[in-house]
Each structure stands twice: as structure tokens, then as C-alpha cells.
Amino acid sequence: MNNSVGIVTTEYAHFDTELRLESGRRLGPLTIAYETYGELNTDRSNAILVTHAWTGDAHAAGRHHEDDRKPGWWDNMIGPGKVFDTDRYFVICSNTIGSCKGSTGPTSSNPANGRPYRLNFPVIMVRDMVRAQKLLIDKLNIDKLLSVVGGSMGAMQALEWGIHYPHHVRSIVPIAGCGRTSPMAISLNALARQAIFNDPLYKKGNYRPEHPPADGFSLARAVGHISFLSDESMHLKFSRRFSRMDGMFDFFGKFEVERYLDYNGSSFVDRFDANSFLYLAKALDLYDAAWRFDSLEEALSNLICPSLWFAFTSDWLYPPYQPEEVVEELQRQKKPVAYHLIESDYGHDSFLVEPEKFIPLLKSFLGELSY
């Protein structure tokens, strides 16, 4: 485990309070799953919050057991000597509300009746996720975060932190994100939704955990996963190779890319919940940094800390023009902002697949923040 944070444990913070959501509904009590890496310094000024993407979790680095097959999802970024150097920084990663990975979500017990919320769980927005994170940061007695860093849905959370808690964060780093979700991204999620809704086992959200709507959910995941890739990455990984398992003229025979999507979808069903998937997709669809402001210009006027933005040339889920819309407005307002367009063939997943392409820029940015 060279340069690893080693064996880590997921912790759970419980809050008896009710969180007032953007919908006007209240959610509580709350549980937030989180992990920490490194040590908080004496003046509590070296904390970095890492925010995860759509179906991510709090397990960003290290392993839970010696025999774990895979480390945390950003293990190549967090640890001694890495960009999030745990000899220098105290790194926090929390699971968002609405998920099924330890924080309060549709699979959690509804205090009104003791049964899982399922579709009685309220619709949440990314802003609600950030409000819940603020409860956790307050509980950890951290007044000001050195930075909030995240990719995809994590980038949206980072931007929300900067806009709504400007005096509690010293910088933000949105990676492969946007200021508002596009109609194209919403339409892909609509297809994923219909795939789940049309599965007879979905039962309007009242499926049994041991009998999930596996066929529809697997297809929904495949739709989403295609949007994380790119034409270039599919050529590199699969080309037009036909599956060795099938005959080319077998009507039900498949290309390698089809087999990959089948495997990715079916394995995902075993580790995530369909209702949580749908609620988080809805939060992505609803995302607009200008929500409850008169304009994006007004929303970004709240952002006072330095921000570092990354986009990727082959990302077609949140293509470069979308973060550039935000960056250009910040530049117009003469806010401290930096932007880098990274050449990569790996589509939206570039921030996970090729972090080495932006690590030096991120490391330099963090190094300039004194604490």
C-alpha cells in the first residue's frame, strides 16, 4: 500500500434536525456517511472537501479491508505525496443525501412509519446535498474549507459551495461540470428513467431489494454509461470487434461494446439502488446555479473565492462550452478564476481515467493557498 492512506473506516454522522429542502419539504433526521484522510491541523485550516459524482460514495481512498479488490474511487489522488497530500491536508469525502451508500436516501427508514421511504422520499436538488454537507462540516468544527473539489455532479456541488457559503470556503475546483444541465443531458436521463419505469418489477418504486427491476435498471445504467465515454474511447477500447462468444451471423450475436454494456449494467444492479439512481438523476436534471436568482450573473456575484475549472475536449455530456459559460461570466465580473481545457480521448470519464493530465495544475493551485 505504498503512498496509500491504508485501511480506512466509513463513519456516520447523525443529525436530529430537519433540513428544509428547496422543494419546501423537510427531511430529517439525517445520517451522512463520510470518510476522512490525514490529520486536521491545530487551527483547523487544512481541510479539503472532495465531492463525488452521480453514483459515487464516501469511499474515496484506501481500502476497507486488506483483501479489498479495489481501493476508493479517487485513490490515485488522495494519500501521502499525492495531489491531496494527506501529510499536508485533511481530506473529507461525504456521501450525498439521496444516495444508497450510507447517507439518508430512498432506502432509509421513514420516521413517519418505520418503512423505507422509497418514492415518499422528497425530491432533492444539488443545493440540498450541499446544505447537508455543511451540517457535517459544522459538526467537524471546521469553520472554513481550504477547498471543495469534485468532478461531474461533484463539480456542481463545488460551485454551490462557492455561491452559497462564500465565507466558509477558500477555493473551489469544479472538474467536468457545468452551471446548468442541458436538454441533451436531461433527455438521456429521461431514457434511463423510462427503462426503469417500464420494468414490471419496478412496481412504482415498491420493489423488494432482493428482486430489483434488474433488466430496466441495467439498461438505464448502460444509457448513462455511454454518455460517460466518447467516440474515441470506444474505438480505442472496442473498435468494431465482434464478441468471441457469438457467431457474426447469429441474429442475437453482439459486438464487444454491447457485451461491455451488458456487463457494466448487470454488475451495477448488484451495488446500487434503482430509486436512489432515479432521485440523483432528478437532482442532476434540476441543476441550475441560477435557481432562485434573477440570473446566472447574480448567482455568480456571490462567488468571491478563487476557482479553478477543468473541462475535457471529448466530453459530450458536459462539453467545454458549458463550463466556459460560467468561466466567462466570472471573468467578466473580474473574479479570480482559472480555466484549462484538457486534451483527452476518454470523454466525461477523463477526470477519473487520466487525472495525471491535470494533477500538476491542481497541485500548483492548492500550493498557492496559504493556510
Side-chain angles (χ1 to χ4, degrees):
M1 291 190 181
N2 187 35
N3 284 0
S4 170
V5 296
I7 303 301
V8 298
T9 301
T10 304
E11 300 180 72
Y12 300 88
H14 303 286
F15 302 91
D16 290 331
T17 185
E18 287 188 324
L19 192 68
R20 183 175 175 83
L21 305 174
E22 287 297 310
S23 66
R25 292 184 61 182
R26 295 182 179 273
L27 179 65
L30 291 175
T31 296
I32 299 177
Y34 70 102
E35 291 185 6
T36 64
Y37 320 100
E39 300 291 334
L40 200 56
N41 60 9
T42 53
D43 61 359
R44 315 183 85 78
S45 62
N46 67 333
I48 294 175
L49 177 64
V50 169
T51 49
H52 69 71
W54 187 356
T55 57
D57 55 30
H59 184 42
R63 285 176 164 83
H64 287 151
H65 307 284
E66 291 285 353
D67 57 354
D68 272 0
R69 188 170 60 89
K70 286 185 177 181
W73 56 270
W74 234 4
D75 188 73
N76 54 356
M77 300 278 283
I78 302 169
K82 298 178 183 179
V83 62
F84 300 121
D85 187 348
T86 48
D87 290 333
R88 183 177 185 184
Y89 304 119
F90 179 62
V91 183
I92 308 154
C93 183
S94 70
N95 183 223
T96 64
I97 59 170
S99 181
C100 58
K101 295 293 186 176
S103 294
T104 300
T107 62
S108 303
S109 178
N110 184 344
N113 56 27
R115 296 191 295 271
Y117 278 103
R118 297 191 177 96
L119 297 193
N120 286 319
F121 193 75
V123 170
I124 59 169
M125 299 182 74
V126 172
R127 195 167 298 174
D128 298 317
M129 299 175 189
V130 169
R131 285 203 181 100
Q133 287 168 349
K134 181 62 165 57
L135 292 175
L136 173 64
I137 298 306
D138 288 346
K139 189 179 182 72
L140 294 174
N141 196 24
I142 297 169
D143 180 62
K144 201 165 195 174
L145 292 162
L146 183 66
S147 195
V148 181
V149 186
S152 192
M153 189 178 82
M156 300 172 185
Q157 294 167 63
L159 180 56
E160 290 292 293
W161 265 96
I163 291 172
H164 296 279
Y165 298 105
H167 300 292
H168 295 279
V169 60
R170 296 196 52 213
S171 68
I172 61 168
V173 184
I175 306 172
C178 63
R180 66 190 70 180
T181 307
S182 70
M184 192 276 288
I186 294 169
S187 69
L188 291 172
N189 284 346
L191 292 177
R193 263 190 290 277
Q194 287 304 315
I196 295 173
F197 292 162
N198 290 339
D199 189 313
L201 290 181
Y202 183 62
K203 300 177 180 178
K204 297 184 179 179
N206 293 311
Y207 53 87
R208 298 169 72 174
E210 61 270 26
H211 296 297
D215 289 345
F217 193 14
S218 178
L219 178 56
R221 173 62 172 181
V223 170
H225 196 70
I226 290 169
S227 72
F228 306 155
L229 305 176
S230 71
D231 184 50
E232 296 95 328
S233 66
M234 286 190 177
H235 274 289
L236 288 168
K237 192 176 181 72
F238 308 108
S239 187
R240 284 180 44 83
R241 291 189 305 274
F242 211 77
S243 171
R244 295 178 183 177
M245 301 170 62
D246 305 319
M248 186 171 179
F249 296 103
D250 175 356
F251 182 74
F252 295 101
K254 296 183 177 183
F255 286 89
E256 287 287 355
V257 66
E258 293 178 274
R259 288 286 181 192
Y260 170 78
L261 291 173
D262 287 346
Y263 170 76
N264 187 274
S266 61
S267 62
F268 184 72
V269 169
D270 295 332
R271 60 185 175 86
F272 213 80
D273 172 66
N275 281 334
S276 293
F277 180 89
L278 291 167
Y279 271 90
L280 295 176
K282 177 63 72 173
L284 287 168
D285 290 349
L286 292 173
Y287 184 64
D288 184 350
W291 167 254
R292 294 198 188 280
F293 292 96
D294 288 337
S295 62
L296 180 63
E297 176 183 356
E298 183 190 8
L300 295 177
S301 69
N302 282 3
L303 183 64
I304 57 177
C305 69
S307 61
L308 173 64
W309 293 74
F310 293 106
F312 300 90
T313 52
S314 58
D315 186 349
W316 63 280
L317 180 60
Y318 302 134
Y321 81 86
Q322 293 181 10
E324 286 167 5
E325 175 188 25
V326 181
V327 170
E328 288 167 7
E329 177 56 33
L330 289 171
Q331 291 172 334
R332 194 191 68 77
Q333 295 187 25
K334 302 189 184 306
K335 299 296 179 74
V337 57
Y339 169 71
H340 299 278
L341 179 59
I342 307 297
E343 288 280 344
S344 177
D345 291 335
Y346 289 96
H348 186 62
D349 268 352
S350 296
F351 78 96
L352 295 171
V353 179
E354 291 191 315
E356 66 276 5
K357 290 191 171 181
F358 63 86
I359 279 176
L361 296 163
L362 175 54
K363 192 169 187 178
S364 175
F365 176 79
L366 293 175
E368 292 173 2
L369 299 169
S370 59
Y371 64 87

